[in-house]
Amino acid sequence: MATYVLIHAAAVDSWYWGPLSAALRDRGHDVVAPDLPCDQESAGLAEYADTVVEAIGGRTGLVVVAHSFGGFTGPLVCDRVPADLLVMLQAQIPAPAESPGEWWGNTGYWAAREEADRRRGAPGGTEEDTLSLVLHDTPADLAAEFVARHQRHQAPTPFGNPWPLASWPDVPTRFLLAAGDRFFPAEFMRGIVTERLGFQPDEMPGDHCPMLGHPKELADRLEAYRTGL
């Protein structure tokens, strides 16, 4: 039995891990999916990592799965606990001494996003709503539930301080890319993964939240990573 540690994105709670958690538990595994203190003005990345480590407790056989902004926290957790595997799921990849607030400019995100929007014919000069930008491949009932009840205030504190690790933690790492994501376009993400992690990402269907739209396939992918170690 493995313990899957699921780390959520910014400005949300852990609810969206529910379908994936059920699929992993059906396979006989334990799941830890804590709510991060993202609405607390005093909480930075260190406190996010503290929350995850505390939730793990004495569990072993750890597979850490970090989604989106959770990519800044996942490696910090793996630096503190004996994880067997880190899976970056459509996640931001930090660089040493780079703050999360600097990531967008340093990676060229905005230009890449503008080009991706242009290619798919998105209206210029306007910000798409969450359903279109982030949840377009999510079942409508789950997307509506997410938007109505599970978005949270995101305090700015974690975005202003440098990422504290001098190098990537010594843990096997995989990157799983959601090919249909409009928020983090696939072509942009492929380049960042290659540049910062030194390997090509794997790809699966989905929008920014494949744990809602494709939970069984995501569980299969995670299990394949785990058993292939």
Side-chain angles (χ1 to χ4, degrees):
M1 182 185 77
T3 299
Y4 282 90
V5 181
L6 310 180
I7 302 175
H8 67 72
V12 299
D13 62 25
S14 62
W15 170 87
Y16 69 2
W17 290 119
L20 175 64
S21 297
L24 293 171
R25 290 189 175 108
D26 285 345
R27 290 161 169 79
H29 302 301
D30 193 8
V31 176
V32 175
D35 286 328
L36 302 180
C38 66
D39 53 359
Q40 296 181 17
E41 299 296 330
S42 62
L45 292 176
E47 286 73 26
Y48 288 23
D50 288 344
T51 298
V52 179
V53 170
E54 182 178 355
I56 292 169
R59 294 175 175 86
T60 58
L62 305 177
V63 178
V64 176
V65 182
H67 174 241
S68 193
F69 184 63
F72 283 93
T73 301
L76 302 182
V77 172
C78 292
D79 191 55
R80 293 176 53 182
V81 300
D84 295 334
L85 177 67
L86 170 61
V87 180
M88 301 286 278
L89 176 63
Q90 200 65 355
Q92 293 172 268
I93 303 168
E98 176 183 71
S99 73
E102 294 170 331
W103 182 91
W104 310 89
N106 289 351
T107 59
Y109 170 79
W110 295 111
R113 168 76 184 283
E114 182 178 0
E115 175 61 17
D117 288 348
R118 184 192 64 78
R119 289 180 179 178
R120 64 182 175 87
T126 61
E127 185 66 26
E128 290 183 75
D129 64 28
T130 301
L131 291 175
S132 174
L133 183 63
V134 177
L135 301 169
H136 59 92
D137 191 43
T138 295
D141 58 336
L142 295 179
E145 169 77 7
F146 188 8
V147 171
R149 299 186 180 182
H150 299 284
Q151 293 182 304
R152 298 166 62 192
H153 167 67
Q154 174 62 56
T157 308
F159 295 90
N161 295 319
W163 193 65
L165 296 185
S167 61
W168 202 257
D170 185 17
V171 58
T173 302
R174 304 289 185 270
F175 196 102
L176 185 53
L177 183 153
D181 190 357
R182 295 172 178 173
F183 183 62
F184 286 160
E187 184 174 353
F188 164 73
M189 293 301 286
R190 291 185 197 107
I192 298 303
V193 175
T194 302
E195 175 186 335
R196 295 199 168 191
L197 293 179
F199 58 80
Q200 291 289 323
D202 297 312
E203 300 189 26
M204 66 171 288
D207 54 27
H208 192 60
C209 295
M211 69 290 288
L212 288 174
H214 302 271
K216 292 183 179 180
E217 178 171 349
L218 178 51
D220 289 342
R221 296 288 191 119
L222 295 176
E223 280 289 88
Y225 286 150
R226 183 184 66 84
T227 58
L229 290 175

